[in-house]
Amino acid sequence: MSTAEITSAGERAVLERVRTQLEGIPTDAASAVGIRASGRPEWHGDPRPMLDGRQVRVVACPSVLAVLDAVAGVAAGVVTAVYTDRPENELGEAVLARLYKGRLLEANRHTLLRDLLGARSLDPRIQRDPWLVDALIELAGAGALPSASGVTLGQERAIGLVALARLGLDPEQLDLAALIEAFDGISSIRSRWRDLAGGERAGFQAYFAERLGVATEVVLVLARKYDDLLAELLVADAIMAAPGTESARAAGAFGQSRFTAPRPSAADLTSAGRAAASYALATASPRIDQQVRRADALIEELDAGMLAQHSDLLTAGFTERLAAVANTLDEAALARLERHREAALPPHRVERVRAALRLHRWLATEPEPRHATAAEGLADHAGQLAWVDRALTQVRAGDADPRVAAALNGIAGRAGAVRTSFDASFASRLAVAAETPTESLSVETFLPKVVAPLAQQHEVLLVVVDGMSGAVAGELADRLTERSGWTEVVRAKDGAREAILAALPTETRYSRSSLFHAALVSGEQAAERAAFASLRLW
């Protein structure tokens, strides 16, 4: 507070102390209220103010003689406030007897605060924080605090009241991530924070550091300087998450450009950055997207773009992690990629490298066609090769990043060559088969063996899709079960899907007609409808 403000607060304390005594003083009495001054008594305000409709006369008395003159000059209907620094033992019992309550009353910022709030008592810790006392006095005088009449006001409650009035924040509802959310997302809070007096801002900073950890000082210092608070903290998160040798230079540059001495410790920067990342990962909003883009630019300005790979949010980090998975085909690298915020926005790029990793694992088993019959080959296709085809389709789609595209192309070439050997083996087994393998399902046996038994017990919807591969069928089944609430049911006890052997040549007029006729035939759609309806299976 300035000297003028301190003087004003002191005089206000005197008036408030007198006002609290008026109720016990008859309106027509000639009375005097003694008020103790902490220093030389001086009065610069109105010497004859009105308080609650009562006339008051204030007399500054630097000597015992002045006190005697003031007491002698009391008049009926006027309350005389004797403001003196003389101790009671100098005044004597005769003078004290002429004062209301027979003693000098205290009047300072603390009594002023109690008078303004009407509190029964104040936590002594409040009085040890001048910034808090001053803020409470100002807010209470402006009517900006709820009544505390008759209660004991604790320090936590007092700071909470000031925080709510000054910043619109309730400290009891905050953790470090919530504090970051409030200061980043609400510009009015940042403005209020910057407008606080230095002592009050320092007081809040010390309080939040004690309550939520020293890392809050990182947040509050940055909030005072930058509107892009979250972006700054996300850069800190990426830098501090990097191994020591990688992050040391960037951390030094970040700290020197953002903070004055003493600068925050590495542990505090790490904690603040982690809290910001946790908040951003759990929140979806245009503001978060904008701050992530800003963080991408900031880390480049620090010449630390390569450290973005250590962030779960920065776009550059996602690209680097994607390339790392594609080139190493490592499970741990995939796990790091899947933690990234962009792994689901959209997911197809991650799905492609995930498919590449599956193909890599498949190749590591040294797969080779071992089926002795066409039936075994058909079962192998349903149980294994269909998802290999599905993975190959994904990796062959490539990627916008040349590094990723090259890696996907490499695994597709290796896996595709092995996959082709299975087709050649199956074709050779099928070519020597005398007739349709009885142990396999085929287009002409599907209705009698599968659909008809179901139709005897349930209503059945049969959907026929021309040209559907095992890979596409598997993807369709997965999507239906994952997104539509359907349940997939198979005949095999081990849960394996089955493949159906098409008619040769594999054209619609052979395979589809054979399906609807329940016999190997060729035909057109009109005949298929009639044949299907007339089957004795129904």
Side-chain angles (χ1 to χ4, degrees):
M1 299 176 75
S2 66
T3 301
E5 289 173 326
I6 292 173
T7 300
S8 176
E11 293 186 356
R12 186 173 185 183
V14 171
L15 295 179
E16 283 296 326
R17 180 55 23 140
V18 173
R19 185 183 61 77
T20 61
Q21 310 303 312
L22 293 179
E23 185 176 347
I25 300 175
T27 56
D28 56 351
S31 59
V33 177
I35 304 295
R36 189 190 311 277
S38 58
R40 180 175 178 79
E42 295 180 354
W43 194 263
H44 301 280
D46 184 357
R48 299 185 67 84
M50 296 292 293
L51 297 178
D52 294 347
R54 303 279 293 274
Q55 182 66 64
V56 175
R57 179 174 72 108
V58 182
V59 182
C61 303
S63 64
V64 174
L65 182 60
V67 173
L68 292 173
D69 287 344
V71 171
V74 298
V78 178
V79 177
T80 297
V82 179
Y83 186 40
T84 183
D85 61 345
R86 297 298 86 201
E88 290 183 349
N89 59 357
E90 284 189 18
L91 298 180
E93 293 184 1
V95 173
L96 293 176
R98 299 184 65 180
L99 299 178
Y100 182 65
K101 293 187 177 180
R103 59 186 174 85
L104 294 177
L105 304 179
E106 298 292 338
N108 51 44
R109 291 189 307 162
H110 303 140
T111 62
L112 171 60
L113 181 57
R114 277 198 301 272
D115 292 341
L116 287 172
L117 294 176
R120 182 172 66 245
S121 63
L122 298 177
D123 187 332
R125 293 175 297 175
I126 295 176
Q127 300 179 23
R128 293 198 292 266
D129 285 332
W131 73 270
L132 181 56
V133 173
D134 293 341
L136 288 168
I137 289 174
E138 179 184 338
L139 292 169
L145 296 178
S147 173
S149 179
V151 302
T152 298
L153 185 63
Q155 183 195 43
E156 286 280 337
R157 175 62 175 160
I159 294 176
L161 290 174
V162 176
L164 198 60
R166 294 291 205 214
L167 302 172
L169 295 175
D170 182 356
E172 294 185 0
Q173 304 299 319
L174 296 177
D175 57 15
L176 184 54
L179 185 74
I180 293 170
E181 178 180 7
F183 273 89
D184 177 70
I186 306 175
S187 59
S188 62
I189 291 181
R190 292 195 300 274
S191 296
R192 291 182 184 184
W193 175 245
R194 294 163 186 172
D195 291 342
L196 289 180
E200 190 169 332
R201 189 168 49 247
F204 271 126
Q205 197 161 305
Y207 167 74
F208 281 121
E210 181 179 353
R211 180 181 178 87
L212 304 177
V214 183
T216 56
E217 295 186 355
V218 174
V219 176
L220 297 176
V221 169
L222 291 176
R224 188 183 175 194
K225 296 177 64 177
Y226 302 103
D227 284 335
D228 295 322
L229 169 63
L230 181 60
E232 295 286 338
L233 291 171
L234 293 182
V235 170
D237 176 57
I239 291 173
M240 302 313 296
T245 54
E246 292 186 48
S247 68
R249 185 196 62 77
F254 182 84
Q256 290 173 9
S257 60
R258 269 71 173 175
F259 303 94
T260 57
R263 296 186 179 92
S265 68
D268 293 335
L269 275 177
T270 300
S271 295
R274 277 288 81 200
S278 296
Y279 154 59
L281 285 169
T283 308
S285 71
R287 169 69 180 178
I288 299 294
D289 296 339
Q290 184 267 335
Q291 289 294 283
V292 169
R293 290 192 296 272
R294 178 60 180 148
D296 275 318
L298 288 175
I299 202 167
E300 288 292 341
E301 290 174 11
L302 288 169
D303 194 25
M306 285 301 297
L307 300 187
Q309 64 183 296
H310 301 289
S311 167
D312 290 339
L313 290 112
L314 301 191
T315 300
F318 172 76
T319 303
E320 291 302 318
R321 291 186 185 186
L322 190 74
V325 177
N327 284 284
T328 64
L329 297 175
D330 178 71
E331 298 282 357
L334 176 62
R336 291 183 69 237
L337 175 64
E338 291 174 334
R339 289 198 303 269
H340 199 281
R341 180 173 181 257
E342 292 194 17
L345 304 171
H348 64 270
R349 299 183 76 189
V350 177
E351 287 296 335
R352 290 170 189 167
V353 295
R354 190 181 287 125
L357 185 53
R358 286 199 296 269
L359 290 174
H360 176 69
R361 289 196 296 263
W362 180 63
L363 290 175
T365 66
E366 299 182 353
E368 57 179 314
R370 295 187 176 91
H371 38 262
T373 66
E376 290 179 9
L378 197 63
D380 191 32
H381 180 86
Q384 176 181 206
L385 299 180
W387 73 257
V388 172
D389 290 342
R390 184 172 169 185
L392 279 169
T393 299
Q394 290 175 305
V395 298
R396 284 168 176 161
D399 191 82
D401 188 314
R403 299 169 299 171
V404 178
L408 294 182
N409 185 58
I411 190 68
R414 296 193 301 275
V418 175
R419 173 67 182 88
T420 299
S421 70
F422 280 80
D423 283 344
S425 176
F426 175 71
S428 66
R429 300 297 186 272
L430 187 61
V432 298
E435 55 185 19
T436 301
T438 57
E439 64 270 38
S440 301
L441 281 174
S442 61
V443 287
E444 71 270 24
T445 62
F446 178 69
L447 293 183
K449 287 186 176 182
V450 178
V451 178
L454 285 175
Q456 292 174 10
Q457 302 178 48
H458 308 282
E459 292 185 353
V460 177
L461 171 64
L462 175 64
V463 180
V464 180
V465 182
D466 279 351
M468 178 180 287
S469 67
V472 174
E475 182 176 0
L476 179 60
D478 288 345
R479 291 192 179 187
L480 286 173
T481 54
E482 291 171 3
R483 305 179 186 180
S484 303
W486 288 25
T487 300
E488 182 177 3
V489 178
V490 298
R491 298 194 303 170
K493 292 182 179 180
D494 62 359
R497 291 169 177 162
E498 295 177 84
I500 300 175
L501 186 61
L504 299 177
T506 54
E507 297 177 8
T508 298
R509 66 192 186 99
Y510 297 111
S511 288
R512 194 177 68 189
S513 292
S514 297
L515 171 69
F516 288 126
H517 283 81
L520 284 172
V521 297
S522 64
E524 302 300 331
Q525 191 168 4
E528 292 166 3
R529 291 178 180 275
F532 180 77
S534 64
L535 286 176
R536 299 183 62 183
L537 298 173
W538 319 132

